């Protein structure tokens, strides 16, 4: 009998371990309903803890209106940044703007781009950001839906409403393969090298430098060429390819430096292309170049049309609070039993359309993001919660119409006195130096930090606060930014709940 009891205990423990490794949809739904009373009653204890917070004073309407205007200015600047300043969109090419929606977790060299209309976009259409070629369209999800072949158990669970129906692929979203991918290639040319000669080559993938920030060079026409600007040149595109649509767009600067492999005692020269964008976190707005019918022809006319499109890009900007559906929400409990955490409990849950990652705002200020949600409510991690992460853009306070600097991801380390401290590790290829030189005063740049693209259910253009960026960045070290004027936790908050109702038909599901 004892042996049988131990076997049963081992079987139950093994089954529990399997459920812990991978959540099972029907089991999660059942447990969520069973534990619903506990999840409602548990936060009530938080109100009586000594670590519970207090509500902040509500922002005055004038401040809210000013910050909404600044957010719209940022959006216009970001939209303009996608259009080329020095390169020219070739005649017969139509550029379709798109926002970087999210990065593929398992594909470091891929991004998802949300466009308004993907009807004219085809596979292998080139993608550019400003004057820079960044990659090509590799997949259009809604045209290539994954097969749904549920088993008998899953079909019965769906009938009983205990399993979720198949998720439809998002519409108006395309997957872009970046030029940093190991198998990506594009033809290029150095119009004038250090000796005034031209040199054709192939670019793609990453060079073997330790920081992996240069693009690799393949089959250069001349080994003597070691410097110069590299631009796209594809007179003979690959079969069914469209690389020639990006003719003349910049790939980067050809560089040479000594390189020493680990374990070797000698150095060898290595040639690579230093891209003018940060592929790791520097892409927010891009253009997909399609082979549609253009309204103008001729180099001069096309160049003028490109400049006009760039200037008019800001006219299409939509205020962040109108770009999605926002639900009014009140705090059910504020504070956490753990003294080092900063969280709150909301009375809206998954039944209202709230999901993990959704932004919680006060005006256009980001107060926090949903950490987890259930049927009864949701838990929000506030901006001063240690470990809170967000992708940000820096906009110079002195010039709110200028192109912002993409900082990438920053992480909160908690509140210190009257500021919230964030840790920032600059990625290789950051344009901090060139950007700061244009806006610096004395020893730094006073900036506002805004949310960038790429976060699920957290739109671009939400204010985090103000800080000062240093001019000099320590090599391979973290930079700590002290934010003031951050999002307040007042009684009037709003939570992101997906796309606007009128957009659901054209965009499929309300992913954003």
């Amino acid at each position: 009998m004892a042996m049988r009891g131990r076997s049963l205990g081992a079987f139950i423990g093994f089954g529990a371990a399997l459920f812990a490794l991978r959540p099972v949809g029907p089991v999660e739904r059942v447990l969520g309903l069973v534990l619903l009373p506990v999840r409602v009653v548990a936060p009530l204890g938080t109100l009586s803890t000594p670590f519970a917070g207090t509500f902040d004073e509500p922002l005055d309407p004038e401040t809210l209106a000013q910050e909404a205007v600044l957010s719209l200015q940022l959006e216009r600047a970001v939209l303009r940044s996608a259009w080329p300043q020095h390169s020219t969109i070739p005649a017969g090419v139509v550029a379709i703007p798109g926002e970087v929606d999210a990065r593929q977790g398992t594909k470091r060299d891929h991004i998802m781009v949300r466009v308004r209309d993907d009807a004219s976009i085809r596979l292998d259409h080139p993608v550019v950001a400003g004057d820079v070629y960044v990659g090509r369209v590799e997949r259009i999800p809604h045209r290539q839906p994954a097969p749904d072949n549920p088993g008998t158990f899953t079909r019965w669970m769906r009938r009983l409403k205990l399993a979720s129906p198949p998720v439809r692929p998002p519409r108006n979203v395309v997957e872009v393969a970046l030029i940093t991918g190991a198998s990506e290639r594009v033809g290029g040319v150095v119009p004038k090298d250090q000796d005034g000669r031209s040199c054709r080559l192939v670019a793609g993938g990453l060079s073997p430098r330790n920081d992996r920030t240069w693009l690799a060079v393949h089959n250069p026409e001349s080994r003597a060429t070691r410097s110069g600007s590299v631009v796209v040149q594809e007179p003979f595109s690959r079969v069914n390819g469209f690389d020639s649509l990006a003719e003349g767009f910049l790939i980067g600067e050809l560089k040479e430096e000594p390189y020493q492999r680990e374990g070797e005692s000698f150095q060898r020269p290595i040639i690579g292309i230093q891209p003018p964008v940060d592929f790791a976190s520097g892409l927010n707005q891009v253009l997909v170049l399609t082979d549609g019918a253009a309204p103008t022809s001729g180099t001069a006319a096309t160049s003028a049309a490109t400049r006009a499109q760039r200037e008019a890009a800001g006219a299409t900007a939509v205020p962040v609070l109108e770009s999605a559906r926002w639900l009014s929400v009140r705090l059910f409990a504020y504070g956490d039993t753990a003294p080092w955490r900063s969280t709150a409990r909301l009375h809206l849950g998954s039944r209202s359309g709230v999901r993990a990652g959704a932004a919680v705002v006060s005006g256009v200020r980001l107060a926090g993001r949903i950490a987890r949600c259930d049927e009864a409510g949701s838990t929000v991690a506030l901006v001063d919660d240690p470990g809170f992460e967000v992708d940000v853009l820096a906009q110079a306070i002195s010039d709110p119409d200028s192109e912002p600097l993409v900082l990438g991801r920053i992480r909160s380390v908690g509140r210190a006195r009257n500021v919230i401290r964030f840790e920032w590790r600059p990625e290789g290829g950051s344009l901090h130096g060139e950007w700061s030189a244009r806006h610096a005063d004395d020893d730094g740049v006073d900036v506002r930090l805004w949310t960038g693209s790429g976060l699920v259910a957290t739109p671009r253009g939400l204010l985090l606060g103000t800080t000062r960026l240093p001019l000099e960045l320590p090599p391979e070290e973290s930079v700590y930014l002290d934010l003031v004027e951050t999002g307040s936790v007042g009684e009037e908050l709003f939570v992101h709940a997906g796309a606007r109702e009128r957009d659901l038909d054209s965009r499929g599901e309300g992913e954003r």
Side-chain angles (χ1 to χ4, degrees):
M1 181 64 69
M3 180 64 69
R4 184 177 302 173
R6 285 195 294 268
S7 299
L8 179 60
F11 177 78
I12 295 175
F14 180 73
L18 288 180
F19 284 129
L21 290 175
R22 182 181 180 183
V24 179
V27 176
E28 291 288 307
R29 293 287 297 275
V30 172
L31 289 178
L33 294 174
V34 171
L35 298 176
L36 188 58
V38 178
R39 289 175 174 171
V40 172
V41 174
L44 295 176
T46 307
L47 295 174
S48 60
T49 66
F51 312 114
T54 57
F55 291 114
D56 295 329
E57 291 294 330
L59 297 174
D60 61 276
E62 184 177 353
T63 300
L64 292 174
Q66 291 175 350
E67 292 178 349
V69 171
L70 291 172
S71 176
L72 187 59
Q73 283 181 294
L74 172 86
E75 182 65 14
R76 288 171 176 165
V78 172
L79 292 177
R80 288 195 301 267
S81 70
W83 292 86
Q85 285 184 295
H86 308 292
S87 303
T88 300
I89 298 177
V93 175
V94 175
I96 299 178
E99 179 185 357
V100 177
D101 187 65
R103 288 189 171 270
Q104 297 287 74
T106 58
K107 300 180 179 179
R108 291 180 56 87
D109 299 301
H110 291 72
I111 57 175
M112 302 299 289
V113 174
R114 184 175 297 280
V115 296
R116 291 192 175 182
D117 183 13
D118 64 2
S120 59
I121 297 179
R122 298 170 61 186
L123 299 183
D124 291 329
H125 273 160
V127 179
V128 300
D131 296 299
V132 185
Y133 174 88
V134 298
R136 62 181 180 85
V137 176
E138 185 177 67
R139 192 169 69 94
I140 304 176
H142 81 90
R143 298 183 193 171
Q144 304 162 288
D148 180 47
N149 300 313
T152 303
F153 177 75
T154 302
R155 288 199 298 269
W156 276 104
M157 289 296 100
R158 287 179 179 175
R159 290 181 182 178
L160 297 174
K161 306 298 183 181
L162 294 176
S164 301
V167 178
R168 291 185 296 171
R171 295 188 60 85
N172 297 350
V173 171
V174 298
E175 183 176 338
V176 175
L178 300 176
I179 193 176
T180 55
S183 60
E184 293 302 308
R185 299 291 183 269
V186 65
V189 63
V190 182
K192 288 186 179 181
D193 63 5
Q194 71 277 3
D195 298 320
R197 299 171 300 185
S198 66
C199 174
R200 290 181 296 179
L201 51 82
V202 176
L206 294 176
S207 69
R209 293 175 80 241
N210 294 332
D211 58 7
R212 307 288 288 177
T213 58
W214 284 9
L215 299 175
V217 174
H218 310 275
N219 305 322
E221 189 176 36
S222 171
R223 295 286 178 179
T225 299
R226 298 175 181 177
S227 65
S229 298
V230 184
V231 298
V232 175
Q233 186 185 64
E234 278 284 4
F236 307 105
S237 293
R238 59 178 179 269
V239 178
N240 295 328
F242 300 96
D243 292 338
S244 60
L245 299 180
E247 191 89 13
F249 276 81
L250 182 65
I251 299 176
E253 290 292 324
L254 194 65
K255 302 278 186 179
E256 181 186 25
E257 72 169 20
Y259 169 68
Q260 183 175 351
R261 288 184 179 179
E262 187 177 353
E264 292 184 350
S265 59
F266 61 92
Q267 292 182 336
R268 65 184 71 186
I270 183 173
I271 297 178
I273 301 174
Q274 184 177 21
V277 298
D278 177 10
F279 284 100
S281 57
L283 297 176
N284 267 259
Q285 194 75 18
V286 297
L287 298 177
V288 181
L289 303 183
T290 67
D291 53 342
T296 58
S297 60
T299 303
T302 304
S303 178
T306 301
R307 289 195 298 269
Q309 287 172 319
R310 174 183 170 82
E311 293 303 319
T316 61
V318 178
V320 64
L321 296 182
E322 298 178 14
S323 64
R325 189 162 57 98
W326 297 89
L327 300 177
S328 178
V329 64
R330 60 181 177 83
L331 296 183
F332 183 64
Y334 177 30
D336 200 286
T337 53
W340 58 88
R341 297 296 306 275
S342 179
T343 63
R345 184 72 179 174
L346 307 181
H347 75 285
L348 292 180
S350 55
R351 284 187 175 274
S352 302
V354 178
R355 60 170 176 159
V360 179
V361 300
S362 174
V364 296
R365 294 189 184 188
L366 181 68
R369 299 181 68 208
I370 299 298
R372 55 187 178 275
C373 60
D374 49 59
E375 301 285 339
S378 52
T379 301
V380 55
L382 303 177
V383 291
D384 60 341
D385 185 41
F388 180 89
E389 291 186 332
V390 63
D391 291 339
V392 297
L393 306 171
Q395 182 71 297
I397 293 178
S398 60
D399 191 2
D401 285 321
S402 62
E403 182 177 338
L405 171 68
V406 180
L407 292 190
R409 184 150 297 187
I410 62 175
R411 182 177 63 88
S412 173
V413 295
R415 187 178 291 272
R417 298 184 179 89
N418 295 325
V419 301
I420 300 177
R421 177 159 293 181
F422 277 84
E423 180 186 14
W424 171 45
R425 293 188 64 88
E427 296 282 354
S430 172
L431 301 180
H432 170 270
E434 298 90 333
W435 185 88
S436 297
R438 297 195 298 268
H439 303 283
D441 55 356
D442 298 329
D443 59 345
V445 185
D446 291 321
V447 299
R448 293 185 181 90
L449 295 188
W450 305 85
T451 56
S453 301
L455 290 172
V456 175
T458 301
R460 182 174 63 203
L462 298 175
L463 180 63
L464 268 85
T466 61
T467 188
R468 187 169 181 82
L469 286 182
L471 291 181
E472 299 294 332
L473 299 180
E476 300 181 2
E477 292 183 13
S478 296
V479 178
Y480 289 92
L481 306 174
D482 292 336
L483 269 68
V484 296
E485 299 180 14
T486 54
S488 59
V489 185
E491 295 185 3
E492 187 175 1
L493 296 174
F494 292 87
V495 60
H496 186 283
R500 294 173 298 178
E501 295 292 344
R502 60 179 177 272
D503 291 340
L504 294 180
D505 292 337
S506 61
R507 293 170 60 178
E509 301 292 334
E511 297 88 359
R512 293 287 294 165

